[in-house]
Amino acid sequence: MSSFEIFWNRVSNPDTAMSILNGLKNTMIIAVFGLLLGFIIGCILASVLIMPSNNIVAKVLKRIADLYIAVFRGTPMMVQLLLMHFAVFATVRIEPVVEVSLIFGFNSGAYMAEIIRSGINAVDRGQMEAGRSLGMGYAATMIRVVLPQAIKNVVPTIGNEFISLLKETSIVSAIGLADLTMVFKSIATATYEYFIPYIALALIYFVLVLIVTLIIKLLERRFAKSEKR
Amino acid sequence: MKRDNIPEVENTAECGRGNRLIDAVSPQEKPVVRKKVKGQKFIKTQVTPVEPCDEKAMLEVQHLTKSFGELKVLDDISTKIYPGEKVSIIGPSGSGKSTFLRCLNVLEDPTDGYVFFDGKNLSNLKVDINVERRRMGMVFQQFNLFNNMNVLRNITLVPVYVGLKELAKTKRHNFFIKIANIFKKKQDKKPLIPIEKTKKSIKEEAEANAMRLLQRIGLSDKAKAYPSTLSGGQRQRIAIVRALAMNPEVMLFDEPTSALDPEMVGEVLSLIKELADEGMTMVIVTHEMGFAREVSTRVLFMADGKITEEGTPKELFGNPKTERLKDFFSKVL
Ligand SMILES: Nc1ncnc2c1ncn2[C@@H]1O[C@H](COP(=O)(O)OP(=O)(O)O)[C@@H](O)[C@H]1O
Ligand SMILES: [Mg+2]
């Protein structure tokens, strides 16, 4: 039997096929929920970072946000994963997928904060001034006027963040979560065939990234259209 | 399009009321001012005492001083603007006209001095600046329409926001009255505040009002268009009616036609003139001397951070007294 046949026999087994699908599901869940949570955390952190620091609360919040970003960007994702899994979440019993999604979300939030902040800074100051001069508060103007424009500015960058998040989820096998990589790893070890399974795995990631890239392109075009009617 | 002489600041956040907060000021009271010095904590400083304000004035400026770092842009300016007045501010570029206007609705915090609006000190922390700003319309040189919304939403956004906020507040009030009523005897029960509006009616009302305003400027067919598809003149007229939708008592114009192509200046000026004829109180920073002469009841000439000369258009244009103003006219007229 050629190595491809060995691989194919294995994969066409319904159990293995199911576990591959399950792995794909886990990978996507982690990436998507990680992105969503990261986006929310990023919006909050970015709003804090650009807040005028004219009172003590704002200053404390700013310090916290700075620290958060420094910590999550200054340490490897893998280390964060291990640390959170074995220390922070060790005593809490939640679904492993949910747990890992949270961890990825926390990490992604730090990067998102910078992305969104730069998006906000790219929005014309006049937009905030117009909202304020009409008598809307800072937060209301931010949420209704500035943030939507900032987010539109950074859709491509957020897309890139999603792609790197998607690829980075492959490290979760380190804590035994059955994502795509973990499943293919077990196929490889079971059959003593490494080349074909890992090539297949790479291909799957590649196709996923291609699909995501396409979706981002479509989104961008839609956003561009919405202002030109 | 960048605003010409305002340097880029990496912060969209500061729109006044950050640097100089006043704890206690009613006229005659000694002001305690907390002032932020760059990179430092708030320090308490002694500043110009508040003088009793003129009840009749709509806007009163007392000893207004504004510095950006070392640069003193406004230097001890005092003036009063009464209801119905149309005040034009002219002067060379960089003389602080925009800064003065922005201090009037506290988009810039004064370094010293006070601005009173309808008898309220706008530096006073107890004055809700958002409420006061709703009564002051501001029109910018660069229009500043909300790019992410169509024209109709641009106009209705804040009226709807304010309406909903007030509705929520009334409901909250009623809720507490109900709770308090539980513990009261029948005859002491407090009546609820009647609620006539619903979320829907607030929205519909605002939209009807916006359409009426758009009709007035002949742009009702653009209600669903986005700002980026409109000409400068159209954008500026929409910016003006957006401010009008709040039913302001005074309108502040900061060079409303300076960013426009020449053929669009007329349509914007004629709208402003209409407002003036209807009796709107307004302050207009402008380089359109003919317009200032025709519309205003008073002209202020600003140079070097001071009001160097002021008077009726006739006085100023007919018989300028200072060398500075003569020099200015020789350049622009
Ligand atoms: N936010 C700011 N920070 C620093 N300097 C400023 C700022 N805004 C205005 N200035 C300076 O203040 C001066 C007056 O500006 P401005 O009020 O815009 O003048 P005008 O509107 O009369 O042309 C200019 O020299 C300008 O560079
Ligand atoms: Mg100016």
Side-chain angles (χ1 to χ4, degrees):
Chain A
M1 268 203 297
S2 72
S3 42
F4 183 76
E5 277 170 305
I6 298 173
F7 174 67
W8 187 250
N9 278 342
R10 187 88 194 175
V11 175
S12 48
N13 174 339
D15 283 350
T16 325
M18 268 323 284
S19 65
I20 290 177
L21 279 183
N22 195 45
L24 180 66
K25 190 186 83 190
N26 282 344
T27 295
M28 289 312 287
I29 287 177
I30 296 166
V32 170
F33 281 93
L35 185 84
L36 287 180
L37 180 64
F39 181 73
I40 294 166
I41 294 179
C43 280
I44 296 169
L45 288 177
S47 308
V48 169
L49 286 177
I50 58 148
M51 215 161 34
S53 56
N54 52 20
N55 60 46
I56 186 81
V57 180
K59 271 184 194 155
V60 171
L61 285 177
K62 262 185 187 187
R63 279 285 158 76
I64 295 174
D66 277 336
L67 188 71
Y68 183 101
I69 293 172
V71 167
F72 277 94
R73 297 214 308 182
T75 53
M77 180 71 230
M78 182 67 143
V79 177
Q80 288 167 28
L81 184 69
L82 293 172
L83 195 65
M84 297 248 238
H85 179 68
F86 291 110
V88 182
F89 283 110
T91 51
V92 201
R93 260 213 213 133
I94 47 173
E95 273 294 305
V97 189
V98 178
E99 178 195 321
V100 174
S101 300
L102 286 179
I103 299 173
F104 271 82
F106 293 154
N107 176 274
S108 178
Y111 290 90
M112 266 329 176
E114 287 298 334
I115 295 173
I116 292 167
R117 172 159 75 162
S118 72
I120 291 172
N121 279 331
V123 174
D124 182 14
R125 272 166 63 85
Q127 297 286 309
M128 175 56 93
E129 287 178 1
R132 296 307 307 273
S133 77
L134 285 164
M136 264 201 307
Y138 171 72
T141 316
M142 202 70 205
I143 292 166
R144 275 151 235 253
V145 178
V146 179
L147 270 182
Q149 294 180 48
I151 289 163
K152 203 194 87 195
N153 287 344
V154 297
V155 165
T157 328
I158 289 183
N160 285 341
E161 169 68 15
F162 182 62
I163 289 172
S164 51
L165 200 63
L166 182 66
K167 291 185 292 185
E168 205 161 14
T169 55
S170 64
I171 64 170
V172 301
S173 51
I175 59 163
L177 187 91
D179 75 323
L180 260 186
T181 307
M182 181 77 168
V183 174
F184 276 84
K185 206 174 183 178
S186 58
I187 294 174
T189 28
T191 56
Y192 300 104
E193 278 291 341
Y194 297 96
F195 184 68
I196 298 284
Y198 286 141
I199 277 286
L201 178 62
L203 259 176
I204 291 177
Y205 276 113
F206 187 71
V207 170
L208 283 179
V209 170
L210 267 184
I211 293 171
V212 172
T213 315
L214 212 75
I215 293 173
I216 297 164
K217 283 261 161 64
L218 285 176
L219 269 180
E220 262 179 79
R221 211 173 302 161
R222 250 197 88 139
F223 272 123
K225 224 192 239 158
S226 75
E227 283 195 4
K228 291 208 173 62
R229 248 191 304 165
Chain B
M1 283 191 285
K2 290 252 163 66
R3 226 174 285 122
D4 38 18
N5 45 22
I6 293 182
E8 204 63 48
V9 188
E10 202 230 334
N11 193 337
T12 45
E14 308 231 359
C15 283
R17 299 262 282 189
N19 295 329
R20 184 161 168 279
L21 308 174
I22 298 180
D23 290 330
V25 266
S26 59
Q28 292 99 35
E29 223 172 313
K30 210 171 178 190
V32 183
V33 172
R34 285 184 291 148
K35 195 170 182 177
K36 199 179 83 178
V37 177
K38 226 179 182 86
Q40 281 183 36
K41 284 194 204 124
F42 287 103
I43 53 164
K44 290 196 173 175
T45 49
Q46 277 300 304
V47 288
T48 325
V50 185
E51 292 160 14
C53 75
D54 184 343
E55 296 279 310
K56 291 200 204 78
M58 177 162 283
L59 278 164
E60 173 169 348
V61 179
Q62 284 182 6
H63 305 293
L64 179 63
T65 301
K66 176 73 187 175
S67 310
F68 291 109
E70 294 286 287
L71 179 71
K72 204 171 198 176
V73 179
L74 300 177
D75 188 5
D76 196 9
I77 291 182
S78 298
T79 188
K80 290 173 191 173
I81 294 160
Y82 292 96
E85 269 197 298
K86 294 109 187 55
V87 179
S88 293
I89 303 177
I90 58 173
S93 177
S95 58
K97 303 181 298 295
S98 299
T99 308
F100 177 73
L101 205 68
R102 292 159 58 80
C103 281
L104 290 185
N105 71 356
V106 212
L107 279 181
E108 301 283 359
D109 280 304
T111 312
D112 195 359
Y114 308 93
V115 175
F116 287 87
F117 175 53
D118 202 13
K120 296 196 189 82
N121 187 337
L122 296 185
S123 295
N124 190 343
L125 269 182
K126 295 205 183 85
V127 172
D128 183 347
I129 191 63
N130 291 329
V131 172
E132 301 311 319
R133 278 182 186 149
R134 283 169 207 159
R135 300 163 58 204
M136 291 190 249
M138 177 129 184
V139 175
F140 300 87
Q141 189 176 342
Q142 303 292 352
F143 333 128
N144 293 350
L145 290 181
F146 303 132
N147 295 323
N148 58 328
M149 298 171 193
N150 65 27
V151 167
L152 190 66
R153 273 275 283 159
N154 258 284
I155 302 173
T156 57
L157 177 72
V158 185
V160 171
Y161 167 78
V162 172
L164 292 183
K165 214 170 157 177
E166 265 155 25
L167 182 69
K169 198 175 153 197
T170 320
K171 282 188 176 158
R172 213 161 46 230
H173 248 102
N174 278 347
F175 176 73
F176 285 118
I177 293 177
K178 266 186 205 158
I179 293 203
N181 279 349
I182 296 173
F183 303 101
K184 284 182 184 156
K185 282 192 222 103
K186 202 160 199 169
Q187 63 272 24
D188 309 335
K189 282 194 197 296
K190 256 170 92 182
L192 299 184
I193 306 163
I195 298 177
E196 280 137 22
K197 291 180 177 174
T198 61
K199 280 183 189 176
K200 208 169 150 225
S201 78
I202 288 172
K203 213 175 151 227
E204 281 167 356
E205 216 171 277
E207 277 177 9
N209 189 35
M211 286 313 294
R212 192 179 55 73
L213 287 165
L214 281 175
Q215 216 131 39
R216 173 183 175 164
I217 56 170
L219 289 177
S220 44
D221 56 323
K222 299 286 185 195
K224 291 275 182 288
Y226 278 79
S228 58
T229 63
L230 302 174
S231 77
Q234 291 172 331
R235 283 191 230 179
Q236 191 61 301
R237 284 185 291 149
I238 289 163
I240 292 171
V241 297
R242 176 176 72 177
L244 287 181
M246 304 296 297
N247 295 319
E249 285 154 45
V250 54
M251 289 283 286
L252 312 174
F253 295 90
D254 188 1
E255 299 193 26
T257 59
S258 293
L260 296 178
D261 292 335
E263 78 267 22
M264 290 166 188
V265 169
E267 61 191 66
V268 172
L269 289 186
S270 67
L271 176 59
I272 299 174
K273 185 158 184 326
E274 261 179 53
L275 293 179
D277 292 342
E278 285 165 19
M280 175 70 79
T281 312
M282 46 176 110
V283 185
I284 313 167
V285 174
T286 186
H287 285 301
E288 300 285 335
M289 293 304 148
F291 179 75
R293 196 169 187 165
E294 186 186 352
V295 169
S296 44
T297 55
R298 183 152 59 106
V299 181
L300 309 181
F301 173 64
M302 278 186 72
D304 310 324
K306 284 187 188 293
I307 297 177
T308 316
E309 204 171 329
E310 73 174 293
T312 62
K314 224 181 204 165
E315 286 166 5
L316 238 73
F317 287 95
N319 182 20
K321 290 190 186 71
T322 54
E323 270 317 303
R324 203 83 171 75
L325 183 55
K326 282 178 197 160
D327 187 44
F328 177 68
F329 280 152
S330 73
K331 280 182 193 135
V332 297
L333 287 180

